[in-house]
Amino acid sequence: MARAPTPHLAAVSAPGTSPLGGEMAQVRRIGFLTLPNYSMIALANALEACRMANYVSGRDIYVWEVVTLDGASMPASNGLSLSPTRRLADAGDLDLLMVCGGIDVRHAVGRATREALRRAARKGMALGALCTGTFALAEAGLLNGYRCAIHWENLAAIREEFPDVAFQEDAFVIDRDRLTCTGGVAPLDMMLVLIASALGARTAGAVADQFIVRRPGATERQKALVAPDVAARIPVLAKAVEVMARHLERPLSTGEVAAAANLSQRQLERLFQRHLSASPAAFYLDLRLARARELLRLSPLPVTDVALACGFQSAAHFSVAYGRRFGHPPRAERAA
């Protein structure tokens, strides 16, 4: 039976509240679809949260299965495989199918995977993704119009490739019947929100205590652009850097960045020199070139399109700036 969509959701809500409504809070049967070279730590964090919820509640609330398309165990990026593994088609009626991605995800997602995910969506399953599994959902056209998360290393490339998907820089995002998160320990944080919705904040807190992690709370940006201690002491500097990061395709002037951070241009320049050892313009250029490097390594975009996506109006200017920063031209990066 198809699910009616629940209201648009923030990534999390304040501790002690139930952030999910409707049938998402009723999720009980979860399938973990492992793609080749998936991240085992991401899968383990999500799965173990379910196990611990059962333990602290004293009830068998969650049931899970590790699945593949053919039922054969799939090697993770660390070379290990999980058993038992079942065929997705034999897993029965799942409430949530979580796609587990990892390294080299583009080669891990083929036509059969895309079709299987579309069938799951037609059956009314909620869909989720761990680490780079978000790419599989996007490739299948199942994230258009949704907010979602993916590992920061893939963020720039996938944004350019799927313009109809609202990729966020949060560690995880829950939007209606889509749950997506980055790798590492982020799946545990996301599952704590799901558990809080189903079983209450007290149970989610008990799960967090068992794993010796913080209580369920606000999501965080994946990758700090400014050292956390500097950002805490000088929030206006962190704000200025965030403004730059949001305007890489059409770079702002130093004066515009300063105004957005409620600073004078001279104040901004002093803060950057003192705490980041660079002028605002030089720091901004480094951000744009770092984004270009990610796109060259992780996206299929032509070099000219990468240049435009990172605020360079000419391929020649881009090539010179890239060579000065990294010691080789953009095309050499792509070839490598």
Side-chain angles (χ1 to χ4, degrees):
M1 183 175 65
R3 289 179 170 80
T6 56
H8 185 79
L9 299 164
V12 294
S13 67
T17 64
S18 180
L20 305 182
E23 295 191 32
M24 281 306 296
Q26 303 302 315
V27 166
R28 297 294 182 268
R29 291 180 52 84
I30 303 174
F32 293 95
L33 176 62
T34 52
L35 301 180
N37 294 309
Y38 68 93
S39 168
M40 187 167 281
I41 189 174
L43 169 56
N45 271 294
L47 190 154
E48 282 291 290
C50 298
R51 181 189 68 82
M52 191 57 71
N54 288 354
Y55 173 75
V56 300
S57 67
R59 295 179 289 159
D60 290 332
I61 303 295
Y62 293 104
V63 179
W64 56 86
E65 296 199 62
V66 177
V67 299
T68 57
L69 297 188
D70 61 4
S73 295
M74 186 67 68
S77 58
N78 61 10
L80 302 179
S81 301
L82 293 177
S83 181
T85 297
R86 297 187 66 190
R87 276 203 328 147
L88 174 59
D90 297 333
D93 293 327
L94 300 171
D95 299 316
L96 170 64
L97 180 63
M98 196 79 77
V99 185
C100 307
I103 61 174
D104 202 17
V105 69
R106 292 177 184 279
H107 293 97
V109 180
R111 178 179 177 183
T113 300
R114 293 192 296 270
E115 290 178 349
L117 293 174
R118 290 169 186 148
R119 283 195 298 272
R122 287 195 295 270
K123 289 180 181 178
M125 290 183 201
L127 297 172
L130 307 179
C131 194
T132 61
T134 303
F135 176 84
L137 295 180
E139 270 276 282
L142 300 172
L143 289 179
N144 291 347
Y146 283 89
R147 295 165 54 249
C148 64
I150 193 170
H151 192 278
W152 63 264
E153 195 174 39
N154 303 81
L155 188 58
I158 201 171
R159 269 181 173 159
E160 295 294 328
E161 198 166 347
F162 300 102
D164 295 328
V165 182
F167 292 98
Q168 309 291 296
E169 297 189 10
D170 297 313
F172 67 92
V173 175
I174 301 174
D175 185 358
R176 291 163 285 172
D177 55 352
R178 299 289 186 269
L179 298 84
T180 55
C181 71
T182 60
V185 298
L188 175 56
D189 287 335
M190 183 175 73
M191 296 305 291
L192 286 172
V193 173
L194 196 67
I195 292 165
S197 298
L199 306 178
R202 185 185 299 273
T203 299
V207 172
D209 288 342
Q210 287 287 331
F211 289 127
I212 319 176
V213 298
R214 68 179 185 271
R215 296 282 179 130
T219 187
E220 300 173 351
R221 182 189 176 97
Q222 295 185 59
K223 187 184 179 187
L225 298 175
V226 177
D229 61 323
V230 174
R233 285 187 289 110
I234 313 160
V236 289
L237 179 60
K239 182 176 181 181
V241 172
E242 285 285 348
V243 168
M244 291 177 174
R246 290 198 303 268
H247 296 84
L248 298 182
E249 186 172 355
R250 294 180 177 83
L252 304 176
S253 69
T254 300
E256 289 171 323
V257 174
N262 295 316
L263 295 168
S264 71
Q265 187 167 327
R266 179 167 296 195
Q267 286 174 317
L268 184 73
E269 289 170 347
R270 279 203 303 265
L271 287 174
F272 268 77
Q273 287 291 354
R274 182 179 303 169
H275 300 286
L276 301 178
S277 301
S279 69
F283 188 90
Y284 206 168
L285 179 60
D286 265 0
L287 284 182
R288 292 161 55 205
L289 290 171
R291 171 65 60 83
R293 194 179 202 185
E294 290 178 7
L295 291 174
L296 289 168
R297 289 179 169 183
L298 298 170
S299 84
L301 290 175
V303 172
T304 302
D305 289 352
V306 170
L308 293 173
C310 298
F312 295 93
Q313 296 307 308
S314 98
H317 179 208
F318 173 52
S319 184
V320 169
Y322 198 93
R324 286 175 179 167
R325 176 64 179 84
F326 297 113
H328 52 261
R331 294 189 186 281
E333 189 80 63
R334 173 59 56 79

